Amino acid sequence: QVQLVESGGGLVQAGGSLRLSCAASGSIFGITYMGWYRQAPGKQRELVATITNSGLTNYADSVRGRFTISRDNAKNTVHLQMSSLKPEDTAVYYCNARKGQYGLGPNYWGQGTQVTVSS
């Protein structure tokens, strides 16, 4: 099993910044993809950004240019730097880790951290 612990959520005004972090522990061998998803009230969970163990990144159109995902493979951590935050970014943000080629293996989730952006 892989344990994922998120930190860094909170309340911020529109236009502000937050940095989320996620630390992976346990059976971390074989993790290829790490990333962030979010779920707003009444909405489905959606992809925010992912990063492979070689540093390839993918972003949702809604956050591209405002959010930056990074990864420290030595420390088994992934970060999400969020800037120019908007009220519509308000959601619970979940860290995700996937094993296997192309991330098609076992899938793990953190407990989530709340991000609230006030207008």
Side-chain angles (χ1 to χ4, degrees):
Q1 285 291 333
V2 173
Q3 292 78 45
L4 301 172
V5 178
E6 301 107 332
S7 60
L11 173 64
V12 64
Q13 288 189 330
S17 299
L18 278 176
R19 178 179 168 89
L20 304 183
S21 296
C22 173
S25 61
S27 182
I28 60 174
F29 179 79
I31 291 177
T32 50
Y33 282 71
M34 295 190 75
W36 294 92
Y37 290 69
R38 67 187 182 186
Q39 187 167 18
K43 295 188 176 181
Q44 290 189 332
R45 191 173 296 188
E46 62 177 6
L47 178 144
V48 176
T50 61
I51 185 167
T52 70
N53 51 8
S54 60
L56 294 176
T57 58
N58 181 46
Y59 294 93
D61 288 343
S62 59
V63 307
R64 187 175 290 113
R66 299 188 298 121
F67 291 9
T68 301
I69 190 169
S70 60
R71 181 172 175 175
D72 186 334
N73 289 328
K75 296 183 178 179
N76 303 310
T77 57
V78 63
H79 307 282
L80 186 69
Q81 179 67 46
M82 305 184 292
S83 303
S84 302
L85 282 160
K86 305 175 181 180
E88 50 263 44
D89 294 318
T90 295
V92 178
Y93 283 69
Y94 295 92
C95 181
N96 175 258
R98 297 170 184 261
K99 292 189 175 183
Q101 191 176 19
Y102 308 119
L104 297 178
N107 189 19
Y108 305 91
W109 295 93
Q111 79 286 357
T113 185
Q114 177 70 46
V115 171
T116 303
V117 184
S118 63
S119 57

